[in-house]
Structures are given as C-alpha cells and as structure tokens.
Amino acid sequence: MSLYESQSYLDQYLLFHYGSSLQIDPFQIFPESFLNFAKRSVTENLDTSKERLRALDLGCSVGRSCFELSRFCYEVVGIDYSNQFIHAAETIRVEGSVKYNSLQEGSQFNSYIAEMPEGSRPERISFEVGDALQLPERIGKFDVIHAANLLCRLSNPDHLLKKLPALMNEGGSLVITTPCTWIGEFTPMENWPKGSTLDWISTNLSGSFVLQNTQDMPFIILEHARKFQVGIAQASVWIRNS
Ligand SMILES: C[S@@+](CC[C@H](N)C(=O)[O-])C[C@H]1O[C@@H](n2cnc3c(N)ncnc32)[C@H](O)[C@@H]1O
C-alpha cells in the first residue's frame, strides 16, 4: 500500500494543510515562514490579484492549494494518486470540513477539524484521483499549473516535465516546488537528476518556458507533538512562451 493511503499520512497532511499555528507548532518555535506551506506555495509564487481561467494542481493531496487557487481561478482541477486524500479534499469541498486526529504521543491523539478556508470558491473546484504521469487527453490546457513537492515522489519525473508544455496555455504560469529529496523508494536512481534539480528542470523546460523567479520555501510536517519533519522546498516559477 502507498504511504499516502495510510491513516497516519492522512492525519499528518490534514494538519499540514489546515492546522492552526498552535496545532502545527505546539512549542511555538518555528517562524511564521515555516507554516502554511500549501497556502504560501500559491500566494507567494503567483500574482493572486490577476484572474485566470483554468488551474491544475498536480499532487494536490488533501486540497488546500486548490482552495487558495479558487480565489482567483475560475476552474481548478486537483489531481492526486491517493484515494483517501482526494476523499478528504472532496469532503471538505462539499461539507465544509472534515474531522481528523493528530498524534500527540504513543496512542494519544487530539481531535481536530479541517475547515474549508474562508472566502474560497468550492463550486470552482473538482478533485479527481489520477496519475500525474498518465493524465487523460480530455483534461485540456491550463493557465496555471501548480505541482508542489510532487516531482521527487514520481517514478519518472522527466516524463511529467516533458508533458507540461502541451498542458499549458501561452503566457500561463507554472509553479514547481521540490525539497529535492530523491529516494529510490519513489524514483529509481536512473531517473534522478544527474546534477542540480533546478538545472535539470530548466533543461527539460527550456524552449517552452522562461524562468521568472526562484525562492527557498521552508515547511514543517508534524509527525507527533514532539517530532517534526523540516524541509526547504526549492520553488521555481515559469512562464509558458509562445
Ligand atoms: C509530498 S506530497 C505533496 C502534497 C502537496 N502538494 C503538498 O505540497 O502538501 C506528494 C503528493 O503527491 C501525490 N502523488 C504521488 N505520486 C503521484 C502521481 N503519480 N500522480 C498524482 N499524485 C501523486 C501523493 O499522493 C501526495 O499527495
């Protein structure tokens, strides 16, 4: 079974996407810039004052970035390989919230509620279980593509990068973030970048996209109340040329 179908990952990702600062960082030791990654990967990398038609969130997990995209994109398609992540995202979209548990220690859990962010537009969003490496033809083209911390979870990330030009309308914005955590469990070593991840993305996208911006984006995922996974995702923003 994929790790992303486990109960512990579902709980961790609901907290990661929807938890309050105090729930995610109970000892209040991390700066704000480490929190709310699934929101910041949209708001810090895209011009949210500019309305767009269609957005695609690949590897959307439990959906927070889709709710952020829905504030300025008229249609948002969120795709993830995990049935249970998409089920939770869809429950939040339809019912406005979902209950989950957050591991404190041993067999002690806190009960929390993940709530749809205020002001988001659920009627604009559709969540689908799907494979980013085998997107259906009917999916069409987009004005925004967001792929946060997905590349190094794919068996053949190169394949996705090569497909991106055909998925994007001219002038569209592509956001890729990755902590560059290449591990054989997800990506066979022969499919890892040979040099730096950013150079490899750039080589794959050159000719179709122009690099607009890069930034380092810290994030924390709470495993239990006293254990954190801290990462620094490398974000790059690309514009589809003509
Ligand atoms: C590290 S998580 C990142 C989730 C989310 N974008 C975020 O930033 O919190 C990777 C996500 O990619 C999904 N995923 C892995 N392989 C996939 C594939 N081939 N197609 C679509 N989603 C995939 C996983 O289920 C998981 O939700």
Side-chain angles (χ1 to χ4, degrees), residues 34-82:
F34 281 63
L35 309 178
N36 291 313
F37 175 79
K39 176 182 178 185
R40 288 187 294 111
S41 66
V42 171
T43 58
E44 291 185 9
N45 291 310
L46 290 163
D47 178 0
T48 58
S49 66
K50 187 174 157 194
E51 297 201 325
R52 312 285 185 106
L53 285 178
R54 302 192 75 221
L56 175 65
D57 187 14
L58 290 171
C60 67
S61 173
V62 291
R64 174 62 187 268
S65 301
C66 291
F67 289 107
E68 298 307 322
L69 287 164
S70 77
R71 297 178 196 277
F72 62 100
C73 300
Y74 285 92
E75 184 190 347
V76 180
V77 180
I79 293 195
D80 200 279
Y81 205 52
S82 161

Short mmCIF file of all heavy atoms in Angstrom, two decimals, residues 34-82:
data_model
loop_
_atom_site.label_atom_id
_atom_site.label_comp_id
_atom_site.label_asym_id
_atom_site.label_seq_id
_atom_site.Cartn_x
_atom_site.Cartn_y
_atom_site.Cartn_z
N PHE A 34 7.60 29.19 8.20
CA PHE A 34 7.68 27.73 8.10
C PHE A 34 6.29 27.10 8.05
O PHE A 34 6.15 25.90 7.82
CB PHE A 34 8.43 27.14 9.30
CG PHE A 34 9.93 27.24 9.22
CD1 PHE A 34 10.56 28.48 9.20
CD2 PHE A 34 10.72 26.10 9.16
CE1 PHE A 34 11.94 28.59 9.13
CE2 PHE A 34 12.11 26.19 9.08
CZ PHE A 34 12.72 27.44 9.07
N LEU A 35 5.25 27.90 8.31
CA LEU A 35 3.89 27.37 8.43
C LEU A 35 3.10 27.63 7.15
O LEU A 35 3.50 28.41 6.29
CB LEU A 35 3.18 28.01 9.63
CG LEU A 35 3.96 27.96 10.96
CD1 LEU A 35 3.18 28.68 12.06
CD2 LEU A 35 4.25 26.52 11.37
N ASN A 36 1.95 26.95 7.02
CA ASN A 36 1.01 27.21 5.92
C ASN A 36 1.64 27.05 4.53
O ASN A 36 1.35 27.84 3.63
CB ASN A 36 0.42 28.62 6.04
CG ASN A 36 -0.50 28.70 7.22
OD1 ASN A 36 -1.35 27.83 7.42
ND2 ASN A 36 -0.32 29.72 8.04
N PHE A 37 2.48 26.05 4.36
CA PHE A 37 3.17 25.88 3.08
C PHE A 37 2.19 25.73 1.91
O PHE A 37 2.39 26.32 0.84
CB PHE A 37 4.09 24.65 3.14
CG PHE A 37 4.75 24.35 1.83
CD1 PHE A 37 5.86 25.07 1.42
CD2 PHE A 37 4.25 23.37 0.99
CE1 PHE A 37 6.46 24.82 0.19
CE2 PHE A 37 4.83 23.10 -0.23
CZ PHE A 37 5.95 23.83 -0.64
N ALA A 38 1.11 24.93 2.11
CA ALA A 38 0.19 24.66 1.00
C ALA A 38 -0.56 25.91 0.55
O ALA A 38 -1.03 25.99 -0.59
CB ALA A 38 -0.80 23.55 1.39
N LYS A 39 -0.66 26.88 1.43
CA LYS A 39 -1.23 28.19 1.06
C LYS A 39 -0.14 29.06 0.41
O LYS A 39 -0.32 29.63 -0.66
CB LYS A 39 -1.78 28.87 2.31
CG LYS A 39 -2.30 30.26 2.06
CD LYS A 39 -2.78 30.88 3.37
CE LYS A 39 -3.25 32.30 3.11
NZ LYS A 39 -3.63 32.97 4.35
N ARG A 40 1.03 29.12 1.06
CA ARG A 40 2.09 30.01 0.57
C ARG A 40 2.63 29.61 -0.79
O ARG A 40 3.08 30.46 -1.56
CB ARG A 40 3.25 30.03 1.59
CG ARG A 40 2.93 30.78 2.87
CD ARG A 40 4.14 30.92 3.77
NE ARG A 40 4.62 29.65 4.28
CZ ARG A 40 5.75 29.06 3.95
NH1 ARG A 40 6.59 29.61 3.10
NH2 ARG A 40 6.09 27.89 4.48
N SER A 41 2.58 28.30 -1.11
CA SER A 41 3.13 27.89 -2.41
C SER A 41 2.30 28.49 -3.55
O SER A 41 2.78 28.65 -4.66
CB SER A 41 3.21 26.36 -2.52
OG SER A 41 1.93 25.80 -2.52
N VAL A 42 1.04 28.86 -3.24
CA VAL A 42 0.20 29.57 -4.21
C VAL A 42 0.42 31.08 -4.07
O VAL A 42 0.78 31.77 -5.01
CB VAL A 42 -1.29 29.22 -4.01
CG1 VAL A 42 -2.18 30.11 -4.86
CG2 VAL A 42 -1.53 27.75 -4.33
N THR A 43 0.21 31.59 -2.85
CA THR A 43 0.17 33.05 -2.69
C THR A 43 1.54 33.72 -2.87
O THR A 43 1.60 34.87 -3.28
CB THR A 43 -0.38 33.43 -1.29
OG1 THR A 43 0.45 32.84 -0.29
CG2 THR A 43 -1.81 32.94 -1.11
N GLU A 44 2.63 33.00 -2.60
CA GLU A 44 3.95 33.63 -2.73
C GLU A 44 4.56 33.43 -4.12
O GLU A 44 5.59 34.03 -4.42
CB GLU A 44 4.91 33.07 -1.67
CG GLU A 44 4.54 33.50 -0.27
CD GLU A 44 5.55 33.05 0.76
OE1 GLU A 44 6.63 32.54 0.39
OE2 GLU A 44 5.25 33.19 1.95
N ASN A 45 3.94 32.57 -4.93
CA ASN A 45 4.55 32.31 -6.23
C ASN A 45 3.71 32.79 -7.41
O ASN A 45 4.18 32.79 -8.55
CB ASN A 45 4.81 30.80 -6.39
CG ASN A 45 5.91 30.34 -5.46
OD1 ASN A 45 6.98 30.95 -5.42
ND2 ASN A 45 5.66 29.28 -4.69
N LEU A 46 2.45 33.17 -7.13
CA LEU A 46 1.57 33.60 -8.22
C LEU A 46 0.99 34.97 -7.89
O LEU A 46 0.83 35.31 -6.71
CB LEU A 46 0.42 32.59 -8.37
CG LEU A 46 0.82 31.22 -8.93
CD1 LEU A 46 -0.29 30.20 -8.66
CD2 LEU A 46 1.10 31.31 -10.43
N ASP A 47 0.67 35.72 -8.91
CA ASP A 47 0.02 37.01 -8.72
C ASP A 47 -1.47 36.74 -8.52
O ASP A 47 -2.21 36.52 -9.49
CB ASP A 47 0.27 37.89 -9.96
CG ASP A 47 -0.44 39.23 -9.84
OD1 ASP A 47 -1.11 39.46 -8.82
OD2 ASP A 47 -0.30 40.03 -10.78
N THR A 48 -1.91 36.73 -7.26
CA THR A 48 -3.29 36.35 -6.94
C THR A 48 -4.28 37.48 -7.24
O THR A 48 -5.49 37.28 -7.12
CB THR A 48 -3.41 35.93 -5.46
OG1 THR A 48 -3.00 37.03 -4.65
CG2 THR A 48 -2.57 34.72 -5.13
N SER A 49 -3.77 38.64 -7.64
CA SER A 49 -4.69 39.74 -7.99
C SER A 49 -5.12 39.63 -9.45
O SER A 49 -6.01 40.35 -9.91
CB SER A 49 -4.02 41.10 -7.74
OG SER A 49 -2.96 41.27 -8.64
N LYS A 50 -4.48 38.72 -10.19
CA LYS A 50 -4.78 38.57 -11.62
C LYS A 50 -5.69 37.36 -11.81
O LYS A 50 -5.29 36.23 -11.47
CB LYS A 50 -3.44 38.37 -12.35
CG LYS A 50 -3.51 38.36 -13.84
CD LYS A 50 -2.09 38.30 -14.40
CE LYS A 50 -2.08 37.72 -15.80
NZ LYS A 50 -0.73 37.36 -16.24
N GLU A 51 -6.89 37.54 -12.34
CA GLU A 51 -7.82 36.42 -12.50
C GLU A 51 -7.36 35.54 -13.66
O GLU A 51 -6.85 36.03 -14.67
CB GLU A 51 -9.23 36.94 -12.74
CG GLU A 51 -9.72 37.73 -11.53
CD GLU A 51 -11.21 37.85 -11.45
OE1 GLU A 51 -11.85 37.95 -12.50
OE2 GLU A 51 -11.73 37.85 -10.31
N ARG A 52 -7.52 34.23 -13.47
CA ARG A 52 -7.12 33.27 -14.51
C ARG A 52 -8.30 32.34 -14.77
O ARG A 52 -9.16 32.15 -13.91
CB ARG A 52 -5.95 32.40 -14.04
CG ARG A 52 -4.79 33.13 -13.41
CD ARG A 52 -3.95 33.85 -14.45
NE ARG A 52 -2.79 34.44 -13.80
CZ ARG A 52 -1.56 33.96 -13.90
NH1 ARG A 52 -1.30 32.91 -14.62
NH2 ARG A 52 -0.57 34.56 -13.27
N LEU A 53 -8.27 31.69 -15.94
CA LEU A 53 -9.39 30.79 -16.26
C LEU A 53 -9.23 29.42 -15.61
O LEU A 53 -9.99 29.04 -14.75
CB LEU A 53 -9.54 30.65 -17.79
CG LEU A 53 -10.17 31.85 -18.49
CD1 LEU A 53 -10.24 31.63 -20.00
CD2 LEU A 53 -11.57 32.12 -17.93
N ARG A 54 -8.20 28.67 -16.02
CA ARG A 54 -8.12 27.27 -15.57
C ARG A 54 -6.81 27.00 -14.82
O ARG A 54 -5.72 27.38 -15.29
CB ARG A 54 -8.20 26.30 -16.76
CG ARG A 54 -9.45 26.44 -17.60
CD ARG A 54 -9.58 25.26 -18.57
NE ARG A 54 -10.00 24.04 -17.92
CZ ARG A 54 -9.51 22.84 -18.17
NH1 ARG A 54 -8.54 22.67 -19.04
NH2 ARG A 54 -9.97 21.77 -17.55
N ALA A 55 -6.92 26.30 -13.69
CA ALA A 55 -5.73 25.92 -12.91
C ALA A 55 -5.72 24.42 -12.66
O ALA A 55 -6.78 23.81 -12.46
CB ALA A 55 -5.71 26.66 -11.58
N LEU A 56 -4.52 23.86 -12.68
CA LEU A 56 -4.34 22.43 -12.41
C LEU A 56 -3.38 22.29 -11.23
O LEU A 56 -2.30 22.88 -11.24
CB LEU A 56 -3.73 21.75 -13.65
CG LEU A 56 -3.34 20.27 -13.54
CD1 LEU A 56 -4.58 19.40 -13.31
CD2 LEU A 56 -2.62 19.82 -14.82
N ASP A 57 -3.79 21.54 -10.21
CA ASP A 57 -2.90 21.27 -9.07
C ASP A 57 -2.57 19.79 -9.08
O ASP A 57 -3.41 18.94 -8.77
CB ASP A 57 -3.58 21.68 -7.76
CG ASP A 57 -2.64 21.58 -6.57
OD1 ASP A 57 -1.41 21.45 -6.78
OD2 ASP A 57 -3.12 21.62 -5.41
N LEU A 58 -1.33 19.48 -9.45
CA LEU A 58 -0.91 18.08 -9.56
C LEU A 58 -0.32 17.62 -8.23
O LEU A 58 0.56 18.29 -7.68
CB LEU A 58 0.12 17.92 -10.68
CG LEU A 58 -0.42 18.10 -12.09
CD1 LEU A 58 0.73 18.15 -13.11
CD2 LEU A 58 -1.38 16.97 -12.44
N GLY A 59 -0.79 16.47 -7.73
CA GLY A 59 -0.34 16.00 -6.41
C GLY A 59 -0.93 16.91 -5.34
O GLY A 59 -0.25 17.35 -4.42
N CYS A 60 -2.24 17.17 -5.46
CA CYS A 60 -2.90 18.19 -4.61
C CYS A 60 -3.09 17.72 -3.18
O CYS A 60 -3.49 18.52 -2.31
CB CYS A 60 -4.24 18.59 -5.21
SG CYS A 60 -5.48 17.27 -5.19
N SER A 61 -2.88 16.41 -2.92
CA SER A 61 -3.05 15.87 -1.56
C SER A 61 -4.46 16.17 -1.05
O SER A 61 -5.44 15.92 -1.74
CB SER A 61 -1.92 16.42 -0.66
OG SER A 61 -2.11 16.07 0.67
N VAL A 62 -4.57 16.74 0.16
CA VAL A 62 -5.90 16.97 0.76
C VAL A 62 -6.49 18.34 0.38
O VAL A 62 -7.49 18.76 0.95
CB VAL A 62 -5.85 16.77 2.29
CG1 VAL A 62 -5.64 15.32 2.63
CG2 VAL A 62 -4.76 17.63 2.92
N GLY A 63 -5.86 19.01 -0.59
CA GLY A 63 -6.56 20.06 -1.32
C GLY A 63 -6.38 21.51 -0.96
O GLY A 63 -6.96 22.37 -1.61
N ARG A 64 -5.56 21.84 0.06
CA ARG A 64 -5.52 23.24 0.50
C ARG A 64 -5.15 24.22 -0.64
O ARG A 64 -5.76 25.30 -0.78
CB ARG A 64 -4.53 23.41 1.66
CG ARG A 64 -4.31 24.84 2.10
CD ARG A 64 -5.61 25.45 2.62
NE ARG A 64 -5.50 26.86 2.91
CZ ARG A 64 -5.19 27.36 4.11
NH1 ARG A 64 -4.94 26.55 5.12
NH2 ARG A 64 -5.13 28.66 4.30
N SER A 65 -4.16 23.84 -1.46
CA SER A 65 -3.73 24.77 -2.51
C SER A 65 -4.84 25.01 -3.52
O SER A 65 -4.95 26.11 -4.09
CB SER A 65 -2.47 24.24 -3.21
OG SER A 65 -1.43 24.06 -2.29
N CYS A 66 -5.70 24.01 -3.74
CA CYS A 66 -6.82 24.19 -4.68
C CYS A 66 -7.79 25.24 -4.15
O CYS A 66 -8.31 26.05 -4.92
CB CYS A 66 -7.56 22.86 -4.89
SG CYS A 66 -6.58 21.67 -5.80
N PHE A 67 -8.03 25.22 -2.83
CA PHE A 67 -8.92 26.24 -2.27
C PHE A 67 -8.30 27.64 -2.45
O PHE A 67 -9.01 28.60 -2.73
CB PHE A 67 -9.24 25.94 -0.80
CG PHE A 67 -10.15 24.75 -0.64
CD1 PHE A 67 -9.67 23.54 -0.15
CD2 PHE A 67 -11.49 24.84 -1.00
CE1 PHE A 67 -10.51 22.43 -0.02
CE2 PHE A 67 -12.34 23.73 -0.88
CZ PHE A 67 -11.85 22.52 -0.39
N GLU A 68 -6.98 27.73 -2.30
CA GLU A 68 -6.32 29.03 -2.50
C GLU A 68 -6.40 29.45 -3.97
O GLU A 68 -6.67 30.60 -4.27
CB GLU A 68 -4.86 28.97 -2.03
CG GLU A 68 -4.69 28.66 -0.55
CD GLU A 68 -5.49 29.60 0.36
OE1 GLU A 68 -5.58 30.79 0.06
OE2 GLU A 68 -6.03 29.12 1.39
N LEU A 69 -6.19 28.50 -4.89
CA LEU A 69 -6.27 28.81 -6.32
C LEU A 69 -7.67 29.26 -6.71
O LEU A 69 -7.85 30.10 -7.59
CB LEU A 69 -5.86 27.58 -7.14
CG LEU A 69 -4.37 27.23 -7.13
CD1 LEU A 69 -4.13 25.80 -7.62
CD2 LEU A 69 -3.57 28.22 -7.98
N SER A 70 -8.69 28.70 -6.04
CA SER A 70 -10.09 29.01 -6.42
C SER A 70 -10.46 30.46 -6.16
O SER A 70 -11.47 30.94 -6.65
CB SER A 70 -11.06 28.07 -5.68
OG SER A 70 -11.22 28.48 -4.34
N ARG A 71 -9.65 31.17 -5.38
CA ARG A 71 -9.97 32.58 -5.11
C ARG A 71 -9.78 33.44 -6.36
O ARG A 71 -10.41 34.47 -6.50
CB ARG A 71 -9.05 33.12 -4.00
CG ARG A 71 -9.22 32.43 -2.66
CD ARG A 71 -8.23 33.03 -1.66
NE ARG A 71 -8.08 32.19 -0.49
CZ ARG A 71 -8.89 32.20 0.56
NH1 ARG A 71 -9.93 33.00 0.57
NH2 ARG A 71 -8.66 31.41 1.59
N PHE A 72 -8.87 33.02 -7.26
CA PHE A 72 -8.63 33.85 -8.45
C PHE A 72 -8.65 33.07 -9.77
O PHE A 72 -8.45 33.66 -10.83
CB PHE A 72 -7.31 34.64 -8.30
CG PHE A 72 -6.08 33.77 -8.18
CD1 PHE A 72 -5.26 33.53 -9.27
CD2 PHE A 72 -5.74 33.19 -6.97
CE1 PHE A 72 -4.14 32.73 -9.17
CE2 PHE A 72 -4.61 32.38 -6.85
CZ PHE A 72 -3.82 32.16 -7.95
N CYS A 73 -8.93 31.76 -9.71
CA CYS A 73 -9.04 30.96 -10.94
C CYS A 73 -10.47 30.44 -11.04
O CYS A 73 -11.02 29.94 -10.06
CB CYS A 73 -8.07 29.78 -10.90
SG CYS A 73 -6.35 30.28 -10.75
N TYR A 74 -11.06 30.54 -12.23
CA TYR A 74 -12.49 30.19 -12.39
C TYR A 74 -12.74 28.70 -12.35
O TYR A 74 -13.83 28.26 -12.01
CB TYR A 74 -13.02 30.78 -13.70
CG TYR A 74 -13.23 32.26 -13.58
CD1 TYR A 74 -12.23 33.16 -13.93
CD2 TYR A 74 -14.42 32.77 -13.06
CE1 TYR A 74 -12.40 34.52 -13.79
CE2 TYR A 74 -14.61 34.13 -12.91
CZ TYR A 74 -13.59 35.00 -13.27
OH TYR A 74 -13.77 36.34 -13.11
N GLU A 75 -11.74 27.92 -12.76
CA GLU A 75 -11.90 26.46 -12.68
C GLU A 75 -10.58 25.88 -12.14
O GLU A 75 -9.51 26.25 -12.62
CB GLU A 75 -12.17 25.88 -14.08
CG GLU A 75 -12.44 24.39 -14.07
CD GLU A 75 -12.45 23.77 -15.47
OE1 GLU A 75 -12.50 24.51 -16.48
OE2 GLU A 75 -12.39 22.53 -15.53
N VAL A 76 -10.69 25.02 -11.15
CA VAL A 76 -9.50 24.41 -10.55
C VAL A 76 -9.66 22.90 -10.55
O VAL A 76 -10.67 22.38 -10.05
CB VAL A 76 -9.30 24.90 -9.09
CG1 VAL A 76 -8.05 24.26 -8.48
CG2 VAL A 76 -9.22 26.41 -9.01
N VAL A 77 -8.69 22.21 -11.14
CA VAL A 77 -8.72 20.74 -11.15
C VAL A 77 -7.59 20.27 -10.23
O VAL A 77 -6.42 20.59 -10.45
CB VAL A 77 -8.51 20.19 -12.59
CG1 VAL A 77 -8.53 18.67 -12.58
CG2 VAL A 77 -9.58 20.73 -13.54
N GLY A 78 -7.95 19.52 -9.20
CA GLY A 78 -6.96 18.97 -8.27
C GLY A 78 -6.85 17.47 -8.48
O GLY A 78 -7.87 16.77 -8.42
N ILE A 79 -5.64 17.01 -8.75
CA ILE A 79 -5.44 15.58 -9.03
C ILE A 79 -4.43 14.99 -8.05
O ILE A 79 -3.37 15.59 -7.80
CB ILE A 79 -4.94 15.39 -10.48
CG1 ILE A 79 -6.07 15.80 -11.43
CG2 ILE A 79 -4.47 13.97 -10.74
CD1 ILE A 79 -5.92 15.39 -12.83
N ASP A 80 -4.77 13.87 -7.49
CA ASP A 80 -3.83 13.15 -6.62
C ASP A 80 -4.04 11.65 -6.79
O ASP A 80 -5.14 11.19 -7.08
CB ASP A 80 -4.01 13.54 -5.15
CG ASP A 80 -2.78 13.21 -4.32
OD1 ASP A 80 -2.62 12.03 -3.93
OD2 ASP A 80 -1.94 14.12 -4.10
N TYR A 81 -2.95 10.92 -6.59
CA TYR A 81 -2.95 9.47 -6.74
C TYR A 81 -3.65 8.77 -5.56
O TYR A 81 -4.09 7.64 -5.68
CB TYR A 81 -1.47 9.05 -6.78
CG TYR A 81 -1.20 7.76 -7.50
CD1 TYR A 81 -1.68 7.55 -8.78
CD2 TYR A 81 -0.42 6.77 -6.90
CE1 TYR A 81 -1.40 6.37 -9.44
CE2 TYR A 81 -0.14 5.59 -7.56
CZ TYR A 81 -0.64 5.39 -8.83
OH TYR A 81 -0.37 4.24 -9.48
N SER A 82 -3.74 9.47 -4.43
CA SER A 82 -4.25 8.84 -3.21
C SER A 82 -5.77 8.98 -3.11
O SER A 82 -6.31 10.09 -3.03
CB SER A 82 -3.59 9.49 -1.98
OG SER A 82 -4.34 9.22 -0.82
#
